[in-house]
Amino acid sequence: MAFTLPELPYAKDALAPYISAQTLEFHHGKHHAGYVTKLNAAIEGTDLADKSLEEIIKATAGDPAKVGIFNNAAQTWNHSFYWQCMKPGGGGQPTGALAEKIDAAFGSFDSFITELKNAAATQFGSGWAWLVQDGDTLKVVKTLNAENPMTAGQKPLLTVDVWEHAYYLDYQNKRPDYIGAFFTSLVNWDFVASQMA
Ligand code: MN3
């Protein structure tokens, strides 16, 4: 069954001025849509056509013959997840079990945010920074291009897209400003907490 581009969970102008409607028009309407279209074309008529997105990602990870399918499947998943990690009027700090897990793993919320911002700022070239659940603890990781921590057995809780297409129209080369706005004004901690196993 073909995959479809999910609707954004908010209006295209809802994240402005931190992420503009123009950025979301291109990022969701062109980039994310393009990954979905290419994925569908690549799996049509193959034994992957009836698999879930997660099954396709895990089945093609690390296979040089299937790198095109992996890239488009993972980018389809990563973007659907990224949209949900933000909301209008987001930011602040998590509470409850998530806050306790963050304190246990990183010492404090500030230490955690510093580590995650640093991972996002220092990912060389295109990629993603993540908060993941790894067994009983939380970790910050970064991945190159389309890579997703689920292929390493880690459960994504939060991601920041640091491909240039995520911020260039609004911030040009100033990636740290985009990352700062993401955590100060956009991150949806309720969604992040809901992803914990
Ligand atoms: Mn992107």
PDB file of all heavy atoms in Angstrom, residues 7 20 37 66 106 108 126 136 143 155 158 186-187:
ATOM      1  N   GLU A   7      -0.624  15.246   6.905  1.00  0.00           N
ATOM      2  CA  GLU A   7      -0.850  16.680   7.084  1.00  0.00           C
ATOM      3  C   GLU A   7       0.036  17.177   8.226  1.00  0.00           C
ATOM      4  O   GLU A   7       0.310  16.434   9.176  1.00  0.00           O
ATOM      5  CB  GLU A   7      -2.307  16.945   7.449  1.00  0.00           C
ATOM      6  CG  GLU A   7      -3.304  16.629   6.343  1.00  0.00           C
ATOM      7  CD  GLU A   7      -3.248  17.641   5.213  1.00  0.00           C
ATOM      8  OE1 GLU A   7      -3.019  18.830   5.482  1.00  0.00           O
ATOM      9  OE2 GLU A   7      -3.407  17.218   4.054  1.00  0.00           O
ATOM     10  N   SER A  20       9.042  29.905   9.252  1.00  0.00           N
ATOM     11  CA  SER A  20       8.068  30.624   8.437  1.00  0.00           C
ATOM     12  C   SER A  20       7.170  29.678   7.647  1.00  0.00           C
ATOM     13  O   SER A  20       7.508  28.512   7.417  1.00  0.00           O
ATOM     14  CB  SER A  20       8.791  31.555   7.467  1.00  0.00           C
ATOM     15  OG  SER A  20       9.536  30.775   6.539  1.00  0.00           O
ATOM     16  N   THR A  37       6.978  10.310  -2.355  1.00  0.00           N
ATOM     17  CA  THR A  37       6.766   9.933  -3.763  1.00  0.00           C
ATOM     18  C   THR A  37       7.855   8.967  -4.242  1.00  0.00           C
ATOM     19  O   THR A  37       7.568   7.954  -4.888  1.00  0.00           O
ATOM     20  CB  THR A  37       6.769  11.195  -4.650  1.00  0.00           C
ATOM     21  OG1 THR A  37       5.712  12.054  -4.220  1.00  0.00           O
ATOM     22  CG2 THR A  37       6.563  10.838  -6.111  1.00  0.00           C
ATOM     23  N   LYS A  66      20.212  -1.218  -1.345  1.00  0.00           N
ATOM     24  CA  LYS A  66      18.891  -0.645  -1.061  1.00  0.00           C
ATOM     25  C   LYS A  66      18.988   0.731  -0.414  1.00  0.00           C
ATOM     26  O   LYS A  66      18.069   1.168   0.270  1.00  0.00           O
ATOM     27  CB  LYS A  66      18.095  -1.604  -0.174  1.00  0.00           C
ATOM     28  CG  LYS A  66      17.756  -2.896  -0.928  1.00  0.00           C
ATOM     29  CD  LYS A  66      16.882  -3.836  -0.145  1.00  0.00           C
ATOM     30  CE  LYS A  66      16.477  -5.015  -1.041  1.00  0.00           C
ATOM     31  NZ  LYS A  66      16.013  -6.165  -0.285  1.00  0.00           N
ATOM     32  N   PHE A 106      21.285  13.019  32.509  1.00  0.00           N
ATOM     33  CA  PHE A 106      22.153  14.150  32.147  1.00  0.00           C
ATOM     34  C   PHE A 106      22.517  15.036  33.338  1.00  0.00           C
ATOM     35  O   PHE A 106      23.289  15.970  33.178  1.00  0.00           O
ATOM     36  CB  PHE A 106      21.476  15.005  31.067  1.00  0.00           C
ATOM     37  CG  PHE A 106      21.121  14.235  29.818  1.00  0.00           C
ATOM     38  CD1 PHE A 106      19.835  13.750  29.617  1.00  0.00           C
ATOM     39  CD2 PHE A 106      22.090  13.970  28.853  1.00  0.00           C
ATOM     40  CE1 PHE A 106      19.502  13.029  28.479  1.00  0.00           C
ATOM     41  CE2 PHE A 106      21.769  13.250  27.716  1.00  0.00           C
ATOM     42  CZ  PHE A 106      20.474  12.769  27.524  1.00  0.00           C
ATOM     43  N   SER A 108      20.892  17.408  34.780  1.00  0.00           N
ATOM     44  CA  SER A 108      19.929  18.509  34.866  1.00  0.00           C
ATOM     45  C   SER A 108      19.356  18.779  33.482  1.00  0.00           C
ATOM     46  O   SER A 108      19.935  18.360  32.463  1.00  0.00           O
ATOM     47  CB  SER A 108      20.596  19.785  35.386  1.00  0.00           C
ATOM     48  OG  SER A 108      21.506  20.281  34.416  1.00  0.00           O
ATOM     49  N   SER A 126      24.494  17.394   6.448  1.00  0.00           N
ATOM     50  CA  SER A 126      23.078  17.142   6.664  1.00  0.00           C
ATOM     51  C   SER A 126      22.857  16.027   7.671  1.00  0.00           C
ATOM     52  O   SER A 126      23.623  15.065   7.714  1.00  0.00           O
ATOM     53  CB  SER A 126      22.413  16.738   5.338  1.00  0.00           C
ATOM     54  OG  SER A 126      22.454  17.813   4.433  1.00  0.00           O
ATOM     55  N   ASP A 136      17.033   1.444  29.510  1.00  0.00           N
ATOM     56  CA  ASP A 136      16.362   2.130  30.612  1.00  0.00           C
ATOM     57  C   ASP A 136      16.813   3.582  30.752  1.00  0.00           C
ATOM     58  O   ASP A 136      16.382   4.289  31.658  1.00  0.00           O
ATOM     59  CB  ASP A 136      16.639   1.372  31.921  1.00  0.00           C
ATOM     60  CG  ASP A 136      15.624   1.730  32.985  1.00  0.00           C
ATOM     61  OD1 ASP A 136      14.442   1.950  32.622  1.00  0.00           O
ATOM     62  OD2 ASP A 136      16.006   1.826  34.161  1.00  0.00           O
ATOM     63  N   THR A 143      22.754  11.828  13.806  1.00  0.00           N
ATOM     64  CA  THR A 143      22.853  10.902  12.684  1.00  0.00           C
ATOM     65  C   THR A 143      23.092  11.677  11.394  1.00  0.00           C
ATOM     66  O   THR A 143      22.691  12.832  11.264  1.00  0.00           O
ATOM     67  CB  THR A 143      21.582  10.035  12.526  1.00  0.00           C
ATOM     68  OG1 THR A 143      20.454  10.881  12.271  1.00  0.00           O
ATOM     69  CG2 THR A 143      21.334   9.182  13.750  1.00  0.00           C
ATOM     70  N   LYS A 155      15.075   4.039  20.738  1.00  0.00           N
ATOM     71  CA  LYS A 155      13.728   4.544  20.457  1.00  0.00           C
ATOM     72  C   LYS A 155      13.754   6.070  20.396  1.00  0.00           C
ATOM     73  O   LYS A 155      14.020   6.722  21.406  1.00  0.00           O
ATOM     74  CB  LYS A 155      12.759   4.091  21.555  1.00  0.00           C
ATOM     75  CG  LYS A 155      11.321   4.450  21.258  1.00  0.00           C
ATOM     76  CD  LYS A 155      10.384   3.894  22.290  1.00  0.00           C
ATOM     77  CE  LYS A 155       8.930   3.922  21.838  1.00  0.00           C
ATOM     78  NZ  LYS A 155       8.563   4.956  20.880  1.00  0.00           N
ATOM     79  N   LEU A 158      12.682  12.515  20.418  1.00  0.00           N
ATOM     80  CA  LEU A 158      12.686  13.904  19.937  1.00  0.00           C
ATOM     81  C   LEU A 158      13.728  14.021  18.841  1.00  0.00           C
ATOM     82  O   LEU A 158      14.794  13.401  18.944  1.00  0.00           O
ATOM     83  CB  LEU A 158      13.067  14.837  21.095  1.00  0.00           C
ATOM     84  CG  LEU A 158      13.472  16.284  20.783  1.00  0.00           C
ATOM     85  CD1 LEU A 158      12.297  17.056  20.200  1.00  0.00           C
ATOM     86  CD2 LEU A 158      13.987  16.976  22.040  1.00  0.00           C
ATOM     87  N   LEU A 186       9.495  26.191  20.296  1.00  0.00           N
ATOM     88  CA  LEU A 186       8.759  25.253  19.437  1.00  0.00           C
ATOM     89  C   LEU A 186       8.606  23.835  19.988  1.00  0.00           C
ATOM     90  O   LEU A 186       7.613  23.163  19.675  1.00  0.00           O
ATOM     91  CB  LEU A 186       9.442  25.163  18.057  1.00  0.00           C
ATOM     92  CG  LEU A 186       9.438  26.452  17.228  1.00  0.00           C
ATOM     93  CD1 LEU A 186      10.246  26.245  15.944  1.00  0.00           C
ATOM     94  CD2 LEU A 186       8.015  26.889  16.883  1.00  0.00           C
ATOM     95  N   VAL A 187       9.553  23.341  20.748  1.00  0.00           N
ATOM     96  CA  VAL A 187       9.529  21.905  21.071  1.00  0.00           C
ATOM     97  C   VAL A 187       8.271  21.541  21.872  1.00  0.00           C
ATOM     98  O   VAL A 187       7.841  22.263  22.772  1.00  0.00           O
ATOM     99  CB  VAL A 187      10.826  21.476  21.799  1.00  0.00           C
ATOM    100  CG1 VAL A 187      11.005  22.207  23.102  1.00  0.00           C
ATOM    101  CG2 VAL A 187      10.864  19.970  22.021  1.00  0.00           C
TER     102      VAL A 187
END
